[in-house]
Amino acid sequence: MPQAVRYSEHGGIDVLRVEDVPRPQPGPRQVLVEVRAAGINPGEAMIRRGAFADRWPSEFPSGQGSDLAGVVVELGPEVEDIELGDEVVGFVNTRASHAEYVVVEAADLTPKPSGVSWEAAGALFVAGTTAYAAVQAVCVREDDTVVVAGAAGGVGSLTVQLAKLTGATVVGLASEANHAWLREQDVIPVAYGEGVEERIRVATGGKVDSFIDNFGDGYVELALRLGVYTGRINTVIDFAAVETYSVKSEGNTAAASAEVMRDLVALVDKGLLEVPIAAVYPLAQVQDAFRELEQRHTRGKIVLKP
C-alpha cells in the first residue's frame, strides 16, 4: 500500500507517523500525482501543535503538506490539458502532499520545466507564493529600500530575490552564517539581535520604505520605529501585531494559484530565482525533517522525497 504522513492528535514531532493508506482515487476535474518531492513549512508544524486550531482546525487522523511536484499517473473524469506522465508542480488544500500519492485539483497544477529540479519544484508553493504576496502587499518599487526579516529562511530567501527583481535596494536580516549568500543575491546583510535597529539605520542611511516580517518576535514594532507606514509593513506570522497596528498580513492564500506558480517556476527555469535547498529527507524520516525545520536556523527549504 502507498504511504502517507498522518497524526491523530495535536502535539510535538513525535505525533507524526508514516502509515500505509489506500491509494487515493481522483474525482471529476482531479488527477492522481505520484509525488517526487514535497516541501515542509513552519506553518504545518504550528498547525500540528494546535497553535492555530481556531483559525485552521484539524480533523483526525490528519494528513499534512501543501507543496508538491510529481508525475500524473491517473486522470479523473472531465480533465483537460493534462495527460498521463506529465511532470507537474502544484499544491493541495487538503493537507495531503506529504505522501507517495496525492489527489490534486487539475486547476492547481502547472507543468514542471525539465530544467527545474524536483526538489526546487516541490519546495516552491508555500514559500514562493508567500514571498510573492508579501512583496506585492508592501508595493516594492524601483528605488525603494525594503527590509526583510528572516531573510535566509524558506520564505525569506525567496522574498529577498523577488524584491530585488523590482529594482529595489534590499536589506536582509539574518545570522552571520548567511551573509555571504545574501551578498551573492546583491542583498545588504544585517545581523539580527541587540542593536539591529541602529545597524539598519546605518545600512539604509535612515531610509526604509517598506518592511517584510517573516520571523515575528517584535519586527513589526521595529518597522514602526523605523518610520515605515503601516500600509507598507507585512507580517506572515505576527497576527497579534496585525490586530494592534493594522499592518498587512498577506501570505500564501493571497497568491495561491496555478498562474502565480507558473510565473515562479518560469523564474526558476530562467535562473532568475534560486530555491535554496537546506536538506532532503526520505518520507520515512519526516520527524527528523521537522526537527531540523523547527530549529529555525536553516537556509532555504527542507524537502521530503517519497
Side-chain angles (χ1 to χ4, degrees), residues 251-264:
N252 160 251
T253 55
S257 72
E259 291 75 20
V260 171
M261 285 295 292
R262 184 176 59 245
D263 292 344
L264 292 171

Side-chain angles (χ1 to χ4, degrees), residues 1 39 49 85 91 93-94 96 129 132 148 154 156 178 182 202 213 219 221 252 262 268 271 293 304:
M1 295 178 69
R49 292 197 298 267
F91 61 94
N93 296 314
T94 54
T129 56
Y132 180 96
V148 178
N178 293 309
L182 288 170
V202 170
D213 170 32
Y219 280 116
E221 287 83 358
N252 160 251
R262 184 176 59 245
V268 176
L293 176 79
L304 294 174

Side-chain angles (χ1 to χ4, degrees), residues 233-266:
I233 300 171
N234 193 81
T235 180
V236 298
I237 192 168
D238 193 346
F239 299 118
V242 174
E243 293 293 327
T244 301
Y245 304 110
S246 298
V247 299
K248 292 185 175 181
S249 59
E250 298 295 320
N252 160 251
T253 55
S257 72
E259 291 75 20
V260 171
M261 285 295 292
R262 184 176 59 245
D263 292 344
L264 292 171
V265 170

